[in-house]
Amino acid sequence: MNVIVNGRTVDLSENETSVADLLERFNIRKRFSIVEHNREVLKKDSYENTRLADGDKVEIVHFVGGG
């Protein structure tokens, strides 16, 4: 299955079916992220239950520390 993540096509495995799986793939912590799925901003507690489908568009914004 292919989804568009931040403007780039990403090929997901059969086991990567949710927004939470996608965040895990990119090593992004849910606590520090904002996700838009098909133009709808998701609540963090819905990441596990939001299923991805072929062609979905996902935008991920995450915060990183440093200095």
Side-chain angles (χ1 to χ4, degrees):
M1 160 176 55
N2 291 314
V3 296
I4 309 298
V5 179
N6 293 357
R8 295 185 177 171
T9 301
V10 175
D11 185 31
L12 300 179
S13 72
E14 292 177 10
N15 297 328
E16 297 171 311
T17 60
S18 71
V19 168
D21 295 333
L22 188 62
L23 293 177
E24 185 175 321
R25 176 191 183 122
F26 291 111
N27 215 15
I28 298 172
R29 293 174 53 189
K30 177 172 86 169
R31 179 177 170 190
F32 300 112
S33 65
I34 298 171
V35 178
E36 181 183 273
H37 176 246
N38 294 329
R39 302 183 70 159
E40 180 180 331
V41 176
L42 300 176
K43 293 182 179 184
K44 291 181 187 343
D45 60 0
S46 70
Y47 291 178
E48 294 285 337
N49 297 322
T50 302
R51 297 290 164 222
L52 298 170
D54 196 48
D56 278 359
K57 293 181 180 175
V58 179
E59 295 291 325
I60 302 171
V61 177
H62 64 100
F63 304 96
V64 294

